[in-house]
Amino acid sequence: MALQFTTDIQTRDGFTVANAYGRVAVGDSYTGTEVSGHVDIYVTEQAFVTGVRPVKTSFIQDAIVPYNRDTDGTDILNIAHDALVAQLALQGIVATKVL
């Protein structure tokens, strides 16, 4: 899964990226009570595929949410994507999941 940004992304270098592409890394805590996600942002999906480095931004690209395997299920990648979409929205950035 990935995130597709519909809000223009401003890089730390002052460039604007329209329709940026984000790849999500996810992990769960050793206690199994939290899921954490991080999104790296690329100019395009092709930039990610060909190994171009992600762009640097000034906004928060991480999210941590409570997690209960019994009630939330085992798809922590999906949970992390939802958490990141919510965290980005708090910063005025719109992104959607790409399955």
Side-chain angles (χ1 to χ4, degrees):
M1 275 193 268
L3 294 178
Q4 186 65 52
F5 291 82
T6 55
T7 302
D8 289 350
I9 300 300
Q10 187 76 27
T11 71
R12 279 195 270 176
D13 296 323
F15 297 101
T16 300
V17 179
N19 302 311
Y21 176 80
R23 289 297 290 202
V24 173
V26 63
D28 63 341
S29 64
Y30 70 93
T31 60
T33 58
E34 293 180 324
V35 168
S36 60
H38 172 83
V39 60
D40 281 325
I41 301 168
Y42 298 86
V43 174
T44 63
E45 181 179 4
Q46 188 60 34
F48 165 74
V49 170
T50 58
V52 174
R53 292 177 158 265
V55 298
K56 303 281 188 201
T57 68
S58 297
F59 56 84
I60 299 169
Q61 294 173 232
D62 300 290
I64 298 173
V65 293
Y67 172 65
N68 180 320
R69 182 182 179 101
D70 294 332
T71 57
D72 297 325
T74 59
D75 189 353
I76 63 172
L77 185 58
N78 192 45
I79 293 168
H81 277 73
D82 289 341
L84 284 162
V85 167
Q87 171 63 3
L88 292 164
L90 291 173
Q91 301 172 83
I93 301 166
V94 178
T96 56
K97 287 191 292 190
V98 178
L99 304 176

